[in-house]
Structures are given as structure tokens and as C-alpha cells.
Amino acid sequence: MLTLDRIAFRREDFVLHANGSVNGPGIVAVIGPSGGGKSTLMSLIAGFELPDEGRVRWNGADLTELAPGERPVAVLFQDNNLFPHLDAATNVALGVSPCARPLPAARRSAEEALEAVGLDGMGARMPGELSGGQQSRVALARALLTDRPLVLMDEAFSALGPALRLEMLTLVTSLLADKTVLMVTHDPEDARRVARQTIFVEDGEIRPAEDTGDLFANPHGALARYLA
Amino acid sequence: MAERAQPLGAAGAVGIAAAAAIPLLILLATVAIIRVAEPGSGLTQADWAAIRFTLWQAFLSATFSVTLAVPVARALARRRFPGRGALVTLLGAPFLLPVIVAIFGLLAVFGRGGLVNSGLGMLGLPQISIYGLHGVVLAHVFFNLPLATRLILQGWQDIPSERFRLAASLGMDAGAVNRHLEWPMLRQVMPGAALVIFVICTMSFAVALTLGGGPRATTVELAIYQALRFEFDLDRAAFLSLIQLAITVFLALLAYRVLRHPGFAPGLDRPLMRWDGRTPALRLLDGILILFAALFLLVPIASAVVRGLPEVLGLPQAVWVSALRSLCVAGASTVLVVALSVVMALAATRLRSQGSWIETAGLTALAASPLVLGTGLFVLIHPLANPESLALPVTALVNAFVTLPFALRSLVPACRTIESEYGRLADTLGLQGWVRFRLVVLPRLRRPLGFSAGLAAALSMGDLGVIALFADPDTATLPLQVYRLMGAYRMDEAGGAAVLLLALSFGVFWMLDRGARRADA
């Protein structure tokens, strides 16, 4: 369970407040207008930003002071998920062993993870030789291998076309079934398709997670305006 | 305040220390000079003459370079022809060209018994002399016309191509394009280019050493050298250094404000599609201009190579030994530049917006001219040890200071880009310290680092400045050796040594720059 315990974050004239928790496993969509605080929320959970007040907890353990690499969190960014000078298998293996020439064991598990995302035998390819969809799969393979219980996806597939995006979402649903996935998306349709729950973020206010079906069936004021 | 504190790391801490140490060393050298300089001595007539000559030759050099560069840059901007890219690259070459090699080439073309005088002789015309004011200006134009051309060409490339399309659709002719697009750009770019060249020419020691001299053609830097080496007058050398320092600091501050582009910015080989200036007369004019500029650059270098190449294998052992010495100095200087620039760039990145002073700290090394810095170090070392015994380390250090600002200019933005693109990914993967540097930063930094290392090696290899102040007769570097051979009128050997120096300078640059690119691929 991810708990945001009375979080306050201020930056110039932007203020973000979050209080509430998310129960795993499953996919939770984060939607809302741009500039509303979706990415900032992700940064606070990942540890790229520190809150001015409040704590971030995972299953009761306080994460607030931990560096990003020490948190039980894997992140898929919108782009730059892979180091372009390292091949696909090394990029995946970085999830378990931080070196340019991974040990045979790490390399084997990386190849297995690549297989799981449908990239059998592509381990030696450089990111530049892969399509956008394949690059997303490599990043997903790393998240899989890292085996951290909380996965943040910050518009991870927004650069892909509609068909590819749907494909990736399906893959996430099946592969990361035992993880808690927070998925920022600019397309409410994504939320409807795969998210058990949805969080609406606007003007720095993080609304509590609600059942996606209920939320979209009876959108309240701000959400209705956003969806219109 | 709530931003996650970036761990500075050991490298970052060393970088901050290095960035602080550089201005401190400059300050120390300046204080040493001030303490030694005799306050009551005042400016003699000779000093005034040196100041006047320094400024006058720099003014003439800058004026000629920029004025001549405008039509050449315009020709390059509006013409497309095979070899254009190569020519633009060649315009960057004088930056790496050892000054003494160029002087040797210029002597072969414009000197006594050179190509031009032979031609004049055949026509029964009086001979010209390359020594004195016009020789110094000629050499400076040789070095700086290409730089000015590149700076101004950059200005042309910065004019958005939509403007030229608009001009074409409005049916503007060359004159109208000039009035509406080109002249406003030139008015912005030319003063900066002229100022940079003016600064370079006030600090250009080797040209004055070889082509100047005497009461009518001595620069302040040359006077410092003479006071130190021939009159053993430390007070006077220090006093002259203060004058030089005042000139360069004033001009460098002015130039730093005015200059927008470094002269070797990439992307100059992209020709614009142009619709104006298509008349045959303008084509012919541009063709002639480009041809003359290319010849002016190539003929002296080619002459030096033709003259010296047959002599290379027969060079005496002393020349080979000095070549080895130069390689060692260049190697040490390169290692220093690479180490300093990497730790300083990392520190600047970690400090984020508070890190801009680090690049400025690197620039202070340039504010004191190499010769003044050398004099300061001479004054500092003199009471402790024989400066001659430290000639090579001091040369390597001062050479490193000259390249450092260029290295920082390319490494600091590169490090910042790496951090902004991959920093968070590296954070979530827990990559820190050495592993992060080795795995994330170094591979992405390889290209600018290779280029900087090549620059450091080539500039140090060809430098004829501080070494002339410090060296005893036995510890010459290769450029100094060429100078001494020329002074002894052993022109065949000087030519061979010049070609060797040319090959080594471009060789080390090519090796480091290309080596990094190949490893990158």
C-alpha cells in the first residue's frame, strides 16, 4: 500500500497537496489537465523531488528520506528510458547489476525478461536500431527484472500510436499483474481500458483514487469539465 | 529548498577545488608581479612605443581580417560547390596550426627569396620585406582572416532561411537582400569578431618574436621577453607584464560581453539555398574571392611542406629529442585539461544554477595572457628554484590553462544535457559515483572530450610562448627548436622540423578527436 501522508509541495506559485493511499496490486491511472501536478506527483513518489511537508510511505515504511535508487520504485519515463550507448540486454541488466559488462547470470535473466516482452534474441541490438514500441518493451523488461513492487509510468507510451499503445497497455496488464502501477496518461480512454482505479489531479489537488467505472459513469464537476 | 540535494561526490568536490585554485593561482602570479614591479620606474619612451605598436598592429590586423572576411563569408554563404565543406573545415585549421610553421610558410612566400619577391624581381619591381609592422599584420591576417570568416559565416547561417525565402518571393536582388538581411546581421557580428581578433593580436607573442623586433616593431609581450631573457631585468619585465595585464583584462572583459559564438561552432557546412546573386558577374566575383582566400591559406602551408618534407628524415638528433620533449609536454597538458575540465564540468552540473561561476573561473586563466602568467610564475619560482629546470612543467601548465576555457565551453553543456536526459533514470537504477560516471557520463561525453583533448594536445604541441621565457639552450621544445634553427639561418633543417611539428600537431589532434568518435560509433 502506497500512502501519501499529508504531502505539501510548493514551487514558486505552484502548490501540490496529496493525502491518501493506493492499494495494490493493479493499475491506477492518473489523469488531469497538463500543469495540474501529475508529473510532480510521480517525482515525489520516485524521490526526484522532496515534499516540503508530509511523508511518503510504502507498506508503512517511510520512503521520504530515501534516494530514488533505494526506493521500491521502478520508473518508465516518456523518453530516454534507455542509455543509447548500451545494448538492449545491458540496459535491462542494469535493473539488477550496475555495470557495462553484466555478469553472465544477469545477462541471462535480462534475455529472459526480453523474451517475456516479446523481444527474443534482440538483446544485442542498440536502442537506436529498435522501433519506438520495441524501446518501450525493453524499458518494460527492465521494470520486470528489477522486480520492484511499485511501478510509475509517466506518459510512458504517449509517443506511440493508438494501436501500439493498446498493445503495450495489454502487456503491462498481464506482466505487471502483481505490481502496483501508477500510470500517468493524457488519454482518459487508457484509464477506462486498463485501470482498476483512477486518480484525478487538477491545480495541485490530488483527488482520492476511485473506481474507474464509477468515476467515469458519474464524473463530478472538475472531471466532467476535463472530459468534455 | 525541497529539491532533492544532489550529492556533490568526490569528483564534484575536486572540481570545485580546481575551479577555485585557478583564479587563485592567477591572483598569486599577479601579486608576485606587482610586488616585484618597480613602482617608481614609470613609462619610458620605449614602453610607450611598445604599447602604441601593440595596439596599432592589433587594430590593423583586426580591421583587415574582418573587412576581408565579409566578402569571403558572403561568397561562401551564397555559393554551393564541391569542396565547400572541406574549405570551411580548412578555415578552422589555423587555430591548430603551430604559429612557427605558418611563419616559416609565410617567409617562403613573402620573405627574401620567396615566391612573391622572385616574381617581383622578374618584373623588375622593388623587393618587399616581411619584417616589421606589415609582416606582423600579414601573419595576423593569415591567422585571423579564417577565424573572422567563420564568425561572420555563422552570422549568415543564423539568418533564418525563411527570411531568404521571403526575400526571394518578393523578388529582391542582391542589393536589397544586402540592405534588409545582411547588413543588419553584419552590424551585429562584425564588432564582436573585430574585438576578439584585436584581443588575440595583443597577446600573440610568437608572431612578434619572429617578424617584429627593434624599436619600431616591438610589442609589450616581446618587450617582456627581452627584459627577462636578455636584460635579466625582472623588475622591468614585471612592470611591462602589468601593462599587458591591464590591456588584456580590459579587452577580455569587453570581448566576453560582445562575443556570442565561439569561432569553431559546428554546423557551418550546411549551405543555404539562395535565390539572389545569380548574375554571372557576382558568380565570378565570388569565385575569385573564394579562390584567393583558399590560396592565401594554402600556399604558405604548402610551401612549408614542399620546402621541409625532403629534410625530415635527415633531421639531427637534437630535433628528434625536442619533438619527444614536445610530445611529453603536450601529453601532460592534455591529461591536465581532461582531468580539470571533467571534474569542473561535473561540479558545474551538480551545482546546477549556482555552477556558472565555474566556467568563469576557467576563463580567468585566459584573462592573463600566457606570457604574463609565465612571467608571474617565473617571479614566483625564481627565489625557490632555477626556473629553467621547471621549463617543461610550467609550459604544460600554462598551455593547459589556455585550452581549459574551450574544453569547459563544450563539456559543461554536454554534462548538463546528460544529467537532464539520463540523470533521473540513473537515479532510479541507483547508479552513483564512479559507476555512474563510467557507465552513463563518460560514454556520452566521449566526443566533446576527444575534441577537447585533441585541441589541448595540438595547441600545446605548437606553442611558442612560455617555453621561450623559461627554456635553457638544452631543453627546447620542437617549436622553439624551429625558431632557433630559423634564427641560425639553417633553413633546410628548420623546414624539416616545421613539417615534423605540423604533422605531430595535426596528428595528435586527429588521433584524439577521431579516436573518440570511433569508440563512440
Side-chain angles (χ1 to χ4, degrees):
Chain A
M1 185 171 77
L2 172 72
T3 309
L4 301 171
D5 185 3
R6 269 166 287 172
I7 298 276
F9 175 83
R10 297 178 195 91
R11 185 67 90 247
E12 280 144 32
D13 52 356
F14 175 78
V15 184
L16 181 141
H17 290 286
N19 192 27
S21 55
V22 174
N23 282 307
I27 300 180
V28 178
V30 180
I31 63 170
S34 50
K38 302 189 296 289
S39 287
T40 308
L41 177 65
M42 294 294 118
S43 291
L44 286 165
I45 300 170
F48 304 133
E49 305 277 8
L50 294 183
D52 296 279
E53 291 161 30
R55 319 300 294 176
V56 181
R57 289 186 228 281
W58 176 252
N59 292 342
D62 190 351
L63 305 184
T64 319
E65 304 298 327
L66 295 181
E70 298 163 349
R71 301 188 178 206
V73 178
V75 188
L76 270 75
F77 302 94
Q78 184 170 353
D79 39 33
N80 294 325
N81 278 303
L82 307 178
F83 295 112
H85 54 275
L86 302 175
D87 67 23
T90 309
N91 264 296
V92 175
L94 280 179
V96 284
S97 99
C99 52
R101 284 184 198 76
L103 296 172
R107 186 143 187 123
R108 255 196 315 281
S109 4
E111 297 282 0
E112 281 167 25
L114 282 171
E115 230 177 285
V117 298
L119 293 178
D120 323 32
M122 305 271 243
R125 300 273 184 95
M126 301 305 277
E129 302 167 341
L130 299 172
S131 68
Q134 288 171 328
Q135 292 182 15
S136 299
R137 283 165 187 265
V138 176
L140 188 59
R142 185 174 53 218
L144 210 57
L145 185 66
T146 315
D147 200 25
R148 297 187 183 175
L150 184 56
V151 179
L152 307 180
M153 304 201 304
D154 193 354
E155 307 236 11
F157 309 130
S158 62
L160 304 178
L164 258 179
R165 200 159 79 225
L166 185 60
E167 205 181 301
M168 289 306 299
L169 289 176
T170 315
L171 202 60
V172 167
T173 316
S174 64
L175 289 176
L176 300 180
D178 60 334
K179 313 265 193 274
T180 302
V181 181
L182 280 184
M183 178 184 79
V184 172
T185 175
H186 62 259
D187 188 352
E189 201 52 39
D190 287 354
R192 249 198 279 251
R193 278 202 189 103
V194 296
R196 187 172 52 81
Q197 289 186 303
T198 296
I199 295 173
F200 181 64
V201 178
E202 190 189 44
D203 289 339
E205 289 303 324
I206 317 291
R207 304 283 165 80
E210 290 180 50
D211 183 89
T212 306
D214 296 349
L215 193 68
F216 281 99
N218 306 302
H220 43 76
L223 177 62
R225 252 177 288 140
Y226 171 64
L227 293 174
Chain B
M1 153 189 69
E3 192 174 357
R4 173 163 286 281
Q6 278 272 342
L8 192 56
V14 174
I16 289 179
I22 291 166
L24 216 63
L25 184 67
I26 306 291
L27 194 69
L28 205 65
T30 311
V31 170
I33 290 172
I34 293 173
R35 280 172 51 103
V36 169
E38 211 154 273
S41 57
L43 287 165
T44 66
Q45 211 170 2
D47 297 337
W48 278 115
I51 295 171
R52 263 202 313 274
F53 181 75
T54 303
L55 298 177
W56 180 234
Q57 61 83 21
F59 172 76
L60 289 178
S61 304
T63 308
F64 281 121
S65 297
V66 171
T67 313
L68 294 172
V70 170
V72 177
R74 179 167 59 191
L76 282 170
R78 68 183 177 193
R79 300 293 163 209
R80 298 203 267 182
F81 54 92
R84 181 186 177 279
L87 186 60
V88 173
T89 307
L90 186 74
L91 290 176
F95 193 66
L96 299 177
L97 186 68
V99 179
I100 194 71
V101 174
I103 304 273
F104 187 87
L106 287 170
L107 282 173
V109 175
F110 299 97
R112 200 172 297 135
L115 290 175
V116 170
N117 275 328
S118 305
L120 290 174
M122 279 197 298
L123 296 172
L125 293 169
Q127 302 281 299
I128 56 164
S129 164
I130 192 178
Y131 295 99
L133 175 64
H134 44 282
V136 170
V137 172
L138 177 75
H140 280 159
V141 172
F142 174 84
F143 276 103
N144 293 305
L145 174 62
L147 172 65
T149 306
R150 282 182 73 105
L151 286 171
I152 294 170
L153 185 56
Q154 180 74 57
W156 247 289
Q157 309 270 23
D158 285 350
I159 299 177
S161 54
E162 291 79 9
R163 299 257 176 90
F164 283 108
R165 288 186 189 153
L166 182 64
S169 73
L170 294 174
M172 288 187 183
D173 61 2
V177 167
N178 186 323
R179 228 176 8 262
H180 294 295
L181 298 182
E182 299 177 328
W183 178 237
M185 177 279 291
L186 287 173
R187 231 178 14 210
Q188 278 195 335
V189 174
M190 279 172 65
L195 190 54
V196 169
I197 292 168
F198 190 92
V199 175
I200 293 174
C201 291
T202 58
M203 293 200 263
S204 139
F205 168 69
V207 168
L209 176 70
T210 43
L211 298 175
R216 287 158 56 86
T218 295
T219 60
V220 177
E221 295 225 315
L222 189 55
I224 296 171
Y225 167 75
Q226 283 163 349
L228 205 62
R229 292 300 292 189
F230 301 129
E231 296 151 28
F232 307 104
D233 191 343
L234 217 54
D235 308 358
R236 201 175 129 68
F239 183 67
L240 288 164
S241 295
L242 281 184
I243 295 173
Q244 177 70 27
L245 195 66
I247 295 175
T248 40
V249 166
F250 174 70
L251 291 173
L253 288 178
L254 207 59
Y256 190 58
R257 282 171 168 262
V258 175
L259 181 68
R260 295 189 305 133
H261 296 288
F264 48 87
L268 291 177
D269 50 357
R270 171 181 53 92
L272 276 172
M273 184 68 187
R274 293 279 296 266
W275 293 270
D276 58 305
R278 282 188 161 168
T279 63
L282 283 178
R283 284 187 166 185
L284 185 69
L285 176 70
D286 284 351
I288 291 172
L289 281 167
I290 291 168
L291 185 72
F292 261 95
L295 286 179
F296 181 56
L297 259 180
L298 284 174
V299 171
I301 302 174
S303 308
V305 172
V306 169
R307 177 88 198 263
L309 200 57
E311 312 290 337
V312 171
L313 287 178
L315 284 172
Q317 201 193 353
V319 173
W320 292 104
V321 172
S322 65
L324 198 63
R325 213 174 271 133
S326 275
L327 279 172
C328 292
V329 170
S333 184
T334 306
V335 169
L336 208 57
V337 168
V338 167
L340 283 175
S341 58
V342 167
V343 292
M344 285 169 74
L346 287 176
T349 308
R350 290 294 154 77
L351 294 174
R352 299 195 182 184
S353 51
Q354 280 112 53
S356 56
W357 68 272
I358 292 201
E359 224 181 318
T360 314
L363 265 176
T364 57
L366 216 57
S369 85
L371 208 78
V372 170
L373 183 56
T375 308
L377 292 175
F378 194 103
V379 172
L380 279 176
I381 293 168
H382 188 62
L384 307 170
N386 180 5
E388 290 183 351
S389 64
L390 289 171
L392 299 183
V394 168
T395 304
L397 179 74
V398 174
N399 288 346
F401 277 9
V402 172
T403 320
L404 193 60
F406 297 101
L408 288 174
R409 265 245 161 126
S410 71
L411 289 189
V412 170
C415 272
R416 291 220 162 110
T417 306
I418 294 168
E419 189 57 36
S420 76
E421 285 182 352
Y422 299 105
R424 289 187 161 190
L425 176 57
D427 283 345
T428 58
L429 294 171
L431 301 175
Q432 292 299 337
W434 171 250
V435 177
R436 186 192 185 100
F437 179 73
R438 167 77 193 68
L439 209 63
V440 181
V441 180
L442 192 57
R444 313 222 47 77
L445 210 55
R446 208 162 256 154
R447 250 165 202 259
L449 199 58
F451 176 78
S452 302
L455 208 60
L459 289 183
S460 174
M461 192 75 214
D463 177 59
L464 175 56
V466 191
I467 186 68
L469 278 187
F470 280 71
D472 62 56
D474 300 323
T475 55
T477 56
L478 191 51
L480 188 58
Q481 191 71 259
V482 177
Y483 170 67
R484 284 179 181 166
L485 288 169
M486 279 166 64
Y489 294 103
R490 286 155 68 184
M491 287 315 224
D492 291 340
E493 288 177 8
V499 169
L500 180 64
L501 177 58
L502 184 69
L504 286 175
S505 292
F506 281 91
V508 288
F509 175 78
W510 184 83
M511 234 176 56
L512 291 165
D513 184 47
R514 277 300 140 104
R517 278 174 201 219
R518 190 156 308 158
D520 203 27

